[in-house]
Amino acid sequence: KHTVAIEEKGVKLKLTIVDVPGFGDAVNNTECWRPVTDYIDQQFEQYFRDESGLNRKNLQDNRIHCCLYFISPFGQGLRPIDIEFMKALQDKVNVVPLVAKADCLTPLEIKKLKERVREEIDRYGLKIYQFPDCDSDEDEEIKQQDKELKESIPFAVIGGNTVVEVRCQRVRGRLYPWGIVEVENSSHCDFVKLRNMLIRSHMHDLKDTTNDCHYENYRAQCIQTMTSKMTAEKRVESPIPVLPLSTPDVETEKLIKMKDDELRRMQQMLQKMQQQMHEQDL
Ligand SMILES: Nc1nc2c(ncn2[C@@H]2O[C@H](COP(=O)(O)OP(=O)(O)OP(=O)(O)O)[C@@H](O)[C@H]2O)c(=O)[nH]1
Ligand SMILES: [Mg+2]
């Protein structure tokens, strides 16, 4: 888990990245996505407790707003493990698929792999993070950017392992005998596009989708489990107090009616007495 504080034009952002080392490296990869789903659920659970607890004002949001899933550049598209992972994660988190080590492929190979991945995402009904459609009255330039972004999925990225000087500037990249691969050069890979999407253009939408969709799913499920547990056991062992339901039983209703009648009788008596006193005065 790495946390960095970013500040840009006075806007502060605390970005936390959680790594999943060794994912899919085992001989038997059955349910290898489990630690990831468990981690996401744990963050939801913590948020649910805090939100329902006493200290709601200082609520810390450690929910996972986006999951970057790296697809191998050496395969012919999605592997069964990729499909399984996305299926397991798609209702819990915004999944953004990436093609790793994009420098290993030619531009044409990248284009073909991307098309294939997109087609397989459709074919297997995988629900990856959907960029919201831009308004129809938006600028042509913005519409074009939006279209380009959608067509970039899965973003092809490169991981730098060194900082080198290129055109009098120090840049992140990879140094090969035949040249330099630059991470932040948009003709080399989609890294800049991905970064802009994550922390500029779509950050709020990622957070909103997490809150309104994924967290809401979790919350609804949690409450449902608690309620069914309560009816099954007539009590609930939960840190979150459940209010008693306000449907009075038959006995209570009878009692209320009796008290009502009694009150009405007393009122009538009082009226009678007042009338008698009034007549005496006259
Ligand atoms: N060519 C190329 N190699 C890369 C790139 N990114 C990482 N590598 C190399 O691939 C190897 C594995 O990289 P890691 O980033 O450790 O891979 P990982 O999937 O995180 O591995 P675990 O954390 O062990 O699961 C290293 O030798 C990296 O230098 C890239 O963009 N292009
Ligand atoms: Mg790693």
Side-chain angles (χ1 to χ4, degrees), residues 189-236:
C189 76
D190 299 325
F191 174 79
V192 173
K193 231 181 245 175
L194 172 67
R195 183 177 59 190
N196 277 347
M197 186 282 282
L198 285 177
I199 61 172
R200 295 208 184 108
S201 57
H202 289 73
M203 189 179 74
H204 284 293
D205 190 64
L206 285 162
K207 291 177 88 171
D208 286 349
T209 316
T210 302
N211 188 59
D212 304 347
C213 185
H214 304 305
Y215 175 64
E216 206 47 44
N217 274 347
Y218 172 87
R219 219 174 70 93
Q221 240 170 36
C222 210
I223 292 172
Q224 205 171 27
T225 317
M226 273 159 56
T227 322
S228 53
K229 211 170 151 191
M230 190 170 69
T231 38
E233 300 173 8
K234 291 277 179 211
R235 73 195 163 88
V236 66

